[in-house]
Amino acid sequence: MELPCEPNRVFVDPRWWRFGQRVVQARRVGDLVLVIFDYMEFPNGRPAQNLVAYDLHQNELWRAESPEGGGANAYVNFISENPLTAWNFACYVCTIDPATGRLIEKQFTK
């Protein structure tokens, strides 16, 4: 389920969660809140670990594994929740294990 977002916060019923970085997109999948942060706010020249999973108390559980080690590597949007799939800036469709954040499968789409 897509969650309402504003630049630095996400609405997780019944309250807004605040973050120190700009939020691009957020979804709730069961007891997980998945947030994609703006990759432009991460250091240049290395992958941005910008897809982050939280529990319902806003405790960070994991950061999604990246498909490649290049500098233009960041998640930009969710594709589906089941399976958990996200599109990557380096043109990969990535299937991610929602329990661990590990990359299950990657498909180059360019």
Side-chain angles (χ1 to χ4, degrees), residues 43-72:
N44 290 331
R46 57 186 165 150
Q49 292 184 292
N50 67 324
L51 194 166
V52 184
Y54 297 91
D55 66 17
L56 295 177
H57 301 285
Q58 201 175 350
N59 297 307
E60 185 177 316
L61 300 174
W62 50 256
R63 289 180 177 262
E65 184 177 29
S66 296
E68 298 291 323

Side-chain angles (χ1 to χ4, degrees), residues 13-110:
D13 196 27
R15 64 186 177 90
W16 285 96
W17 290 7
R18 296 186 187 282
F19 296 97
Q21 293 174 300
R22 181 170 150 47
V23 175
V24 173
Q25 193 176 28
R27 298 244 174 136
R28 179 158 176 194
V29 179
D31 290 339
L32 293 177
V33 174
L34 305 170
V35 179
I36 295 177
F37 293 100
D38 186 346
Y39 67 88
M40 297 297 289
E41 295 189 11
F42 285 76
N44 290 331
R46 57 186 165 150
Q49 292 184 292
N50 67 324
L51 194 166
V52 184
Y54 297 91
D55 66 17
L56 295 177
H57 301 285
Q58 201 175 350
N59 297 307
E60 185 177 316
L61 300 174
W62 50 256
R63 289 180 177 262
E65 184 177 29
S66 296
E68 298 291 323
N73 198 345
Y75 289 99
V76 292
N77 70 301
F78 294 107
I79 296 171
S80 71
E81 295 175 10
N82 191 15
L84 177 56
T85 309
W87 190 75
N88 178 278
F89 188 80
C91 297
Y92 286 94
V93 172
C94 300
T95 304
I96 300 162
D97 182 344
T100 64
R102 297 197 54 115
L103 192 61
I104 295 171
E105 182 179 13
K106 65 181 181 180
Q107 179 181 7
F108 189 67
T109 60
K110 199 170 196 179

